Amino acid sequence: MTEEGRRKLPVVIVCGLHSEARREVVEGLLATVPHSVALHHDLSTATGATVRRILRDATGELSTGETPLVNDCACCALREDLVPELRRLADGGLTRLAVLELWDSVEPKSMAEVIAVHGADGFEVTNVITAIDPTLVLPCLTNGDDLAEAGLAAAPADQRTVGDTWARQVEYAPVLALVDSPAADDEDRALIRQLNPMARQVRSDSDELARLAVAGFDVGAAAAGQHPACALLPQEAEEAGVSTLVWRRHRPFHPERLYDALEDLCCAAARSRGRFWLADRPDTLLSWDAAGGALCVENTGPWLASLPDAAWAMVEPYRRAAAALDWHTEHGDRCQHLVFVSPGLDRDGLTGLLESCLLTDEEYRAGREAWKNLPAAFDALLDPV
């Protein structure tokens, strides 16, 4: 058989902060899919300047090894070691499915993209599964501790929190595998559904996982679904005391009033995310990402409306489609599109606070030249010295 005609080795990524739930999913796949193996890099050994690699099948460990840290970063070592291991499994021709079990705080997006770049090597991502203990979803989501404080940092400079890391693990995966937890209630399950309403939910011990593991995965579409400019944000929902509020406006925020309200806004919901714009920065698309009371606001480039027409041909179709959905005759794709998900959400209070941060009618009529003179409250946050 030619190199081009050889079947690529399917790789399913299993991730999640809940290690016991993750292990249950992996063991289930190994038991169900003949000639499957699980590859796991234990980053807890990184304090000793190495990452431990474990390869196992349904009968137990097949091999172990160590790889040195790269740039003092455990995740970098994982990436450097991962591709050769997958290439070796693919070349061997005996493995039917490779289950990549990520360590607790490793996010699947970066690993899926590493594998996609090396797709010509004979392997490909066929799905991403996040393993979940429903009773731990809210405690993890509202945990604002740095990963370093929890002993889960992948590098000395890792500034992620438990809450935002967990949120992205849940929101990225097309499949959510839930372990059977008698203590879980309707609120726990509603929260999971509203965090990622597009995901397929299955029991962690379901035989269906074997089929879903090779169902197919589009790395580019998954990345676009997470990008602030075109994210596939949840829709309005209300179930079992859990609410999703979708707040969309075209009028810009007053930078100082929004800045003063940041603490109240990011603590108003267990999870919030989206995109927004400020009156004094009309060409800058800003991302909003909050969990566990910790908020990250970043400059993610220009709004499409601020680009020359010739530049649109170089913009990804996902981005152009998202811009068309939000298009405004005066402001183009500039908009406030924020989503808040939480049990016990105070919809009216949150909406009122957001509305109070917009420009007033008088401020709006003053026009863009006047907006440039508004207090540049976000400069310290977005343009640190």
Side-chain angles (χ1 to χ4, degrees):
M1 182 179 291
T2 64
E3 188 72 20
E4 290 78 10
R6 188 179 68 179
R7 182 184 72 89
K8 289 187 175 181
L9 171 66
V11 180
V12 59
I13 297 175
V14 179
C15 66
L17 282 175
H18 308 158
S19 57
E20 291 184 8
R22 198 178 63 232
R23 177 58 67 94
E24 184 172 318
V25 171
V26 173
E27 297 299 335
L29 287 171
L30 293 179
T32 305
V33 182
H35 307 294
S36 59
V37 299
L39 178 62
H40 177 62
H41 290 81
D42 185 354
L43 273 57
S44 66
T45 62
T47 53
T50 62
V51 171
R52 184 167 181 259
R53 180 201 326 115
I54 304 165
L55 184 70
R56 69 184 193 276
D57 64 9
T59 65
E61 287 189 2
L62 299 174
S63 66
T64 62
E66 292 186 345
T67 185
L69 292 191
V70 176
N71 301 322
D72 203 25
C73 171
C75 269
C76 299
L78 189 164
R79 286 192 289 268
E80 289 293 320
D81 192 66
L82 174 62
V83 170
E85 282 299 305
L86 291 177
R87 185 184 298 124
R88 185 181 63 80
L89 290 172
D91 289 346
L94 300 177
T95 303
R96 180 175 168 186
L97 174 68
V99 182
L100 178 57
E101 181 190 353
L102 299 184
W103 190 67
D104 302 34
S105 69
V106 178
E107 296 183 30
K109 179 176 181 292
S110 59
M111 294 302 112
E113 291 173 353
V114 166
I115 295 172
V117 168
H118 293 86
D121 289 353
F123 46 83
E124 63 181 345
V125 178
T126 53
N127 222 331
V128 176
I129 301 171
T130 298
I132 298 175
D133 180 338
T135 62
L136 299 179
V137 172
L138 185 59
C140 285
L141 194 62
T142 55
N143 188 336
D145 291 346
D146 292 339
L147 290 175
E149 296 175 12
L152 297 173
D158 195 339
Q159 297 182 333
R160 296 175 297 155
T161 68
V162 173
D164 63 44
T165 300
W166 172 238
R168 285 188 292 271
Q169 289 177 336
V170 173
E171 292 160 355
Y172 183 78
V175 180
L176 304 179
L178 279 58
V179 299
D180 183 22
S181 181
D185 57 21
D186 290 342
E187 180 181 285
D188 296 322
R189 298 183 182 90
L191 179 58
I192 296 168
R193 277 191 288 271
Q194 291 183 41
L195 287 172
N196 189 349
M198 301 296 291
R200 179 69 174 272
Q201 288 192 29
V202 295
R203 287 173 56 101
S204 59
D205 58 357
S206 170
D207 291 342
E208 188 180 6
L209 277 178
R211 180 184 61 80
L212 292 172
V214 294
F217 185 76
D218 188 326
V219 174
Q226 294 294 297
H227 193 282
C230 47
L232 300 175
L233 299 173
Q235 300 298 306
E236 287 274 345
E238 186 80 43
E239 179 190 1
V242 180
S243 300
T244 297
L245 170 68
V246 180
W247 188 77
R248 302 176 74 164
R249 299 290 186 275
H250 284 281
R251 184 173 294 199
F253 278 124
H254 186 288
E256 188 173 48
R257 288 201 294 274
L258 178 62
Y259 189 84
D260 289 342
L262 287 182
E263 183 175 355
D264 289 336
L265 288 171
C266 74
C267 292
R271 174 65 169 152
S272 57
R273 57 188 176 119
R275 49 190 176 268
F276 69 101
W277 69 301
L278 298 171
D280 65 327
R281 291 173 177 252
D283 295 331
T284 303
L285 190 160
L286 297 168
S287 66
W288 177 290
D289 193 293
L295 171 67
C296 178
V297 170
E298 292 183 333
N299 177 342
T300 54
W303 294 99
L304 292 195
S306 66
L307 297 176
D309 291 346
W312 279 56
M314 297 181 287
V315 176
E316 291 288 338
Y318 301 110
R319 177 77 189 277
R320 294 199 300 269
L325 291 174
D326 280 329
W327 201 261
H328 184 270
T329 54
E330 181 179 357
H331 302 306
D333 59 329
R334 299 177 182 90
C335 68
Q336 322 295 1
H337 189 171
L338 300 175
V339 173
F340 298 81
V341 182
S342 188
L345 192 69
D346 180 2
R347 285 175 168 269
D348 293 340
L350 179 54
T351 299
L353 181 56
L354 289 164
E355 299 284 353
S356 72
C357 296
L358 295 172
L359 294 185
T360 64
D361 290 344
E362 182 178 356
E363 291 165 341
Y364 183 75
R365 285 193 296 267
R368 292 195 181 184
E369 287 304 311
W371 299 350
K372 294 178 183 178
N373 297 319
L374 292 171
F378 278 76
D379 281 6
L381 192 62
L382 296 170
D383 304 318
V385 177

